[in-house]
Amino acid sequence: MSEIYDNGVIRLSVPEGWRTFIGSNSDGIETPKKVLVYKNVNEPLEIFLRAGITVCYFAKGEFYFSPKMFYDNVKDIDSFVLGNFEWTGYTCTSLGYPYTMLEARDDGRVFQVMVLMENGDEKISMEDADVREIIESINESIKE
């Protein structure tokens, strides 16, 4: 059974067997605008041995620059609608690791999703029900 993760900025579904961790910004400071969602991990350092998903949020008015030019073997993928957004993106490699990179833009805000497809023996796919559930559920936290 899935759980709902909501850190006050990002809200998403976390399927059974997956775990979330707060990410860090470029200065190494934890930020709720970056969430790591990884399968088969118990400790934060295990993410370096597993496949997983990183979700980044850029609010309206915040600077966002697509990192596309920094990756190797870039191939655009067809846009698709999943959940609340239309996603555009590409596949690529970074340091030899295969990724699917997605972006959703809506009313000046941006969600960037980095799917690390393979790490060692661990593999995930954009066709996996768990991966699709996570991406489909991505949204801003509900403001009350």
Side-chain angles (χ1 to χ4, degrees), residues 31-132:
T31 175
K33 293 182 177 189
K34 188 174 191 178
V35 177
L36 310 173
V37 189
Y38 274 74
K39 189 175 183 177
N40 299 325
V41 298
N42 295 308
E43 303 295 327
L45 290 178
E46 288 179 321
I47 65 170
F48 298 107
L49 305 172
R50 305 281 189 255
I53 300 170
T54 301
V55 179
C56 300
Y57 174 74
F58 298 83
K60 196 178 216 177
E62 288 185 318
F63 179 74
Y64 173 73
F65 177 79
S66 173
K68 186 176 183 178
M69 72 170 72
F70 297 106
Y71 298 113
D72 298 317
N73 306 309
V74 174
K75 293 184 180 115
D76 289 331
I77 59 174
D78 292 334
S79 63
F80 60 94
V81 174
L82 188 59
N84 296 310
F85 304 106
E86 179 176 2
W87 298 93
T88 60
Y90 51 94
T91 60
C92 63
T93 57
S94 178
L95 302 173
Y97 292 96
Y99 281 87
T100 297
M101 307 292 279
L102 303 173
E103 297 175 359
R105 297 170 184 264
D106 181 56
D107 193 30
R109 62 192 174 141
V110 178
F111 282 101
Q112 179 193 46
V113 176
M114 299 171 277
V115 183
L116 174 56
M117 309 299 285
E118 186 176 333
N119 190 353
D121 293 336
E122 294 280 326
K123 293 182 183 182
I124 57 176
S125 163
M126 290 298 297
E127 302 308 315
D128 293 347
D130 288 356
V131 172
R132 295 183 68 77

